[in-house]
Amino acid sequence: ISCAKTMMNECFSSVPLVTSAFCASYVAMLSGANMLGRLGWATASDWTGRKNMYFLFGALGIPTTLAIPTLTTMASEGIGGALPLYAFVGGSVAIVSFYGGLFSGLPAYISDLFGGKHTSGIHGRLLTAWSASALFGPSLMAQLRQRAYVDEMEKLASISDPETFERTFGAPVCEMGKLVEAKSVTIERLMQIAPPGTLDPTPNLYDSTLYSMGGIMFLAMLSNLAI
């Protein structure tokens, strides 16, 4: 949620529909999905059972998360027109609704498992962990993105003409590390000197983040099944 607008701008900037107004609407849609998920999924869990509902979140959320890198690649290469954008919006809205459902169904799930006597104490501990994840999650996401950013810059530098690189940045390619630390090099500037036909890697900067998220969700789903 915290990175939604940035992801939209970086991953789907090549799609004409993506404007500032569209990005703002997208963030509002995620907020609405969070709210509706708290109401809708919590109600549905009364019929399906809490454990089955949590399994459904993983069974739907994991493949959706792992499919996003493919969608961003399709968008950057102009495949499918606006279809990858719509699929990303729909998938991310669904994932955020699962987040809302997880949160709202949690007290009832605890009560089902351990009884009402212990619900408050266990829920308090889980909320503490949830708060920690709210701080740790975006930080981890930013670090993974930054690592991917540096890796992609190094790849672009390696395929660029060494003389052109030195004229542009005032240092040879072998000093790439120092240029990165000084923030003198960016993907945008490297794309200007990259060989013709080189694809902009910006839309795929979140791939490692999304794969990590999918892995964590898979572990959570297995933990739920083990209860």
Side-chain angles (χ1 to χ4, degrees), residues 7-8 10-15 64-79 81 83-85 87-89 199-208 210-211:
M7 283 186 68
M8 181 61 71
E10 291 186 340
C11 297
F12 295 94
S13 58
S14 60
V15 181
T64 301
T65 302
L66 297 180
I68 291 176
T70 301
L71 296 175
T72 57
T73 298
M74 291 174 63
S76 66
E77 295 179 359
I79 301 173
L83 182 61
L85 171 65
F88 171 78
V89 171
L199 294 176
D200 188 346
T202 303
N204 299 106
L205 293 177
Y206 293 93
D207 288 4
S208 59
L210 291 161
Y211 293 141

Side-chain angles (χ1 to χ4, degrees), residues 164-172 179 184-186 189-190 193:
T164 304
F165 182 94
E166 187 168 357
R167 285 199 305 270
T168 304
F169 299 105
L179 293 172
S184 302
V185 181
T186 63
R189 294 188 66 189
L190 284 168
I193 64 172

